[in-house]
């Protein structure tokens, strides 16, 4: 069985035809979906990954974050048990490092079970660890100084965290969603920059672990959700002593003896907040650089994502792109869905269209925020006649 793949391990397995039916670039959920779909159709597949196998979700995203969220939820439940007459509960974190290590063990286990352990089951998938570089001659690429000329290619290289555009941000120690979950010691205070789903989830998680948390953002909490949801969640956060700063304008950030200090503009003038740690949660950018894909005639969107049509086909008809690298619909299930469609289209001709009209989404705060399809404003912008009903949960039996 293939062992755990990291950037320092060989990780190569299976036969590697120089002219495979399909080359899949990127060993995350989208890449695995594409490679396995093609292999089950009888294609000869070359699978190329760079870094730790398994992609964002299992390694640094869904699995580790939701594990920690669920763990500290038990603390909150114990503390809030007294809202029921006759009940009193207590709970404490006495070894944060042990909890972090348990999370790491779960990640490693799932990576081996759900990703690494699958490859030996498909003898027509050849896996190679290394960066793929396009040579500018059709689908010809180079991997580890070896040249390959696949018939078709699926790019599924994912996305990575970005720093917010704040003066001085490059000069201060900044956590991202990955490094924040690796902290072996809880800070006394934390400033979370960004009010999207990552900032909301991790901000509440650290607050429930006993950290004094401030979440700040330019617009509103969960800006892609309905305004009523943003307002309600902000109120819940404030009840849990999370400071919510909305509608601010970032000015500068600097390192201090106590940690970091952010200066920001409000209606009342220039203000500041100081914290021991800062977590940047202001979005992710597609991993579309470093491969010279433009040499193959591939075009980009303004956000750096690879441009694709409804068949997940790029501006090069022999090359497809799926998942976060396209710069849209950055959900693991949409990445896997796109990978399956792209593999089928690459092998069988463009017969399967990508449909994102009813994407489900969940933000794992407490209370959780869930949605599917268009919001009211999105529906109106598309010309639909919208009827909206609002029911608060205290009216639900």
């Amino acid at each position: 069985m293939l062992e755990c793949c990291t950037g320092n391990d060989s990780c190569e397995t299976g036969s590697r035809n120089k002219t495979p039916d399909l080359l899949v670039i990127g060993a995350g959920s989208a890449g695995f979906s594409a490679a396995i779909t093609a292999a089950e159709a009888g294609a000869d597949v070359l699978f190329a990954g760079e870094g730790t196998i398994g992609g964002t979700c299992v390694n640094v995203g869904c699995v580790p974050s939701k594990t920690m969220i669920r763990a500290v939820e038990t603390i909150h439940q114990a503390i809030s048990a007294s809202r029921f007459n006759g009940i009193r509960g207590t709970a404490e974190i006495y070894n944060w490092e042990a909890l972090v290590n348990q999370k790491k063990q779960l990640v490693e286990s799932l990576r081996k079970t759900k990703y690494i352990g699958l490859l030996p089951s498909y003898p027509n998938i050849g896996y190679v660890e290394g960066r793929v570089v396009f040579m500018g001659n059709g689908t010809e690429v180079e991997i580890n100084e070896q040249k390959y000329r696949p018939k078709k290619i699926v790019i599924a290289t994912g996305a990575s965290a970005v720093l917010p555009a704040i003066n001085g941000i490059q000069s201060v120690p900044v956590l991202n969603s990955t490094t924040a979950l690796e902290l072996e010691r809880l800070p006394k205070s934390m400033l979370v920059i960004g009010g999207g789903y990552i900032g909301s989830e991790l901000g509440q998680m650290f607050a429930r672990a006993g950290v004094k948390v401030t979440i700040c953002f330019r617009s509103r909490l969960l800006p892609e959700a309905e305004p009523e949801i943003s307002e309600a969640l902000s109120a819940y956060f404030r009840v849990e002593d999370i400071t919510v700063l909305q509608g601010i304008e970032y000015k500068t950030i600097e390192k201090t003896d106590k940690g970091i200090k952010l200066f920001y503009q409000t209606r009342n003038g220039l203000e500041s907040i100081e914290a021991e740690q800062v977590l940047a949660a202001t979005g992710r950018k597609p991993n579309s650089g470093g491969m010279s894909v433009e040499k193959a005639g591939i075009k980009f969107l303004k956000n750096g994502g690879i441009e694709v049509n409804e068949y997940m086909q790029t501006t090069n008809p022999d090359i497809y792109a799926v998942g976060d690298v396209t710069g849209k619909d950055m959900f693991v299930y949409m990445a896997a869905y796109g990978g399956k469609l792209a593999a089928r289209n690459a092998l069988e001709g463009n017969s399967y269209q990508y449909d994102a009209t009813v994407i489900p989404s969940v933000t794992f705060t407490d209370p959780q925020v869930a949605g599917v399809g268009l919001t009211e404003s999105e529906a109106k912008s598309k010309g639909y006649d919208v009827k909206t009903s609002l029911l608060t949960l205290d009216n639900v039996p």
Side-chain angles (χ1 to χ4, degrees):
M1 179 177 289
L2 188 69
E3 291 301 320
C4 178
C5 290
T6 67
N8 298 320
D9 295 331
S10 174
C11 300
E12 299 185 1
T13 186
S15 62
R16 293 190 297 282
N17 187 348
K18 298 296 182 181
T19 58
D21 296 318
L22 184 69
L23 166 64
V24 177
I25 308 171
S29 296
F32 264 82
S33 177
I36 290 174
T37 298
E40 290 179 343
D44 179 27
V45 181
L46 177 62
F47 196 8
E50 184 178 15
T52 305
I53 198 170
T56 297
C57 183
V58 69
N59 290 307
V60 297
C62 322
V63 171
S65 65
K66 277 53 181 181
T67 301
M68 302 299 284
I69 288 169
R70 184 50 55 88
V72 300
E73 186 179 83
T74 62
I75 304 291
H76 178 75
Q77 289 173 341
I79 293 173
S80 60
S82 60
R83 71 185 187 276
F84 295 103
N85 294 338
I87 295 179
R88 181 172 61 242
T90 60
E92 64 173 328
I93 297 173
Y94 67 90
N95 191 334
W96 179 259
E97 186 178 356
L99 179 59
V100 172
N101 287 334
Q102 183 185 34
K103 177 261 300 180
K104 290 179 181 178
Q105 292 170 8
L106 175 63
V107 168
E108 290 172 0
S109 173
L110 290 177
R111 184 194 304 133
K112 290 180 180 180
T113 303
K114 301 296 184 181
Y115 292 89
I116 298 170
L118 293 179
L119 291 177
S121 302
Y122 297 93
N124 51 335
I125 296 179
Y127 184 82
V128 59
E129 169 77 14
R131 173 163 295 191
V132 176
V133 179
F134 286 79
M135 305 304 294
N137 184 18
T139 59
E140 185 179 26
V141 298
E142 184 177 274
I143 312 172
N144 299 335
E145 300 182 351
Q146 296 289 321
K147 287 185 172 59
Y148 300 87
R149 197 177 184 86
K151 297 175 184 177
K152 303 287 183 179
I153 297 176
V154 173
I155 302 173
T157 46
S160 54
V162 293
L163 287 175
I166 304 175
N167 290 333
I169 195 73
Q170 300 286 351
S171 303
V172 299
V174 180
L175 298 169
N176 57 35
S177 57
T178 300
T179 55
L181 294 172
E182 295 173 348
L183 289 174
E184 295 183 349
R185 181 188 67 82
L186 284 170
K188 293 181 179 179
S189 58
M190 177 179 289
L191 172 63
V192 180
I193 302 177
Y197 73 93
I198 295 176
S200 297
E201 289 181 353
L202 297 189
Q204 187 180 41
M205 185 274 289
F206 278 108
R208 289 183 165 185
V211 179
K212 178 57 181 174
V213 171
T214 298
I215 303 178
C216 64
F217 38 89
R218 290 189 173 97
S219 56
R220 57 184 172 84
L221 206 61
L222 299 183
E224 295 182 356
E226 304 283 4
E228 295 86 351
I229 295 293
S230 300
E231 183 179 346
L233 188 61
S234 295
Y236 277 106
F237 277 7
R238 292 187 176 105
V239 168
E240 294 189 28
D241 293 327
I242 300 172
T243 302
V244 179
L245 298 176
Q246 62 184 23
I248 68 172
E249 180 184 352
Y250 307 132
K251 289 299 182 180
T252 61
I253 191 169
E254 62 184 34
K255 189 174 182 180
T256 67
D257 293 338
K258 296 181 180 179
I260 59 90
K261 179 181 285 189
L262 172 71
F263 294 88
Y264 58 93
Q265 189 74 35
T266 69
R267 295 176 182 177
N268 300 322
L270 187 65
E271 299 184 26
S272 67
I273 184 168
E274 194 167 16
E276 184 179 335
Q277 295 271 17
V278 59
L279 165 60
T282 50
R284 299 174 66 80
K285 64 177 180 179
N287 294 328
S288 55
M291 298 181 291
S292 300
V293 295
E294 61 277 1
K295 290 184 177 180
I298 293 175
K299 294 182 180 180
F300 298 95
L301 302 174
K302 290 183 179 179
N303 66 357
I306 292 177
E307 182 180 329
V308 295
N309 61 17
E310 66 271 28
Y311 303 106
M312 310 310 293
Q313 188 179 39
T314 71
T315 43
N316 182 321
D318 294 322
I319 301 175
Y320 295 74
V322 297
D324 292 2
V325 76
T326 64
K328 60 181 182 179
D329 304 339
M330 292 188 178
F331 302 100
V332 62
Y333 40 89
M334 296 305 291
Y337 163 66
K340 180 180 293 186
L341 295 187
R344 289 175 176 174
N345 286 332
L347 297 175
E348 304 171 19
N350 292 339
S351 302
Y352 303 92
Q353 293 188 21
Y354 180 88
D355 184 1
T357 55
V358 288
I359 298 177
S361 63
V362 179
T363 301
F364 288 86
T365 50
D366 183 13
Q368 294 180 353
V369 177
V372 62
L374 302 174
T375 63
E376 179 181 4
S377 61
E378 288 171 339
K380 287 181 177 179
S381 69
K382 293 180 180 294
Y384 291 104
D385 183 17
V386 178
K387 180 179 180 180
T388 302
S389 297
L390 180 64
L391 180 68
T392 56
L393 287 179
D394 57 354
N395 290 308
V396 178

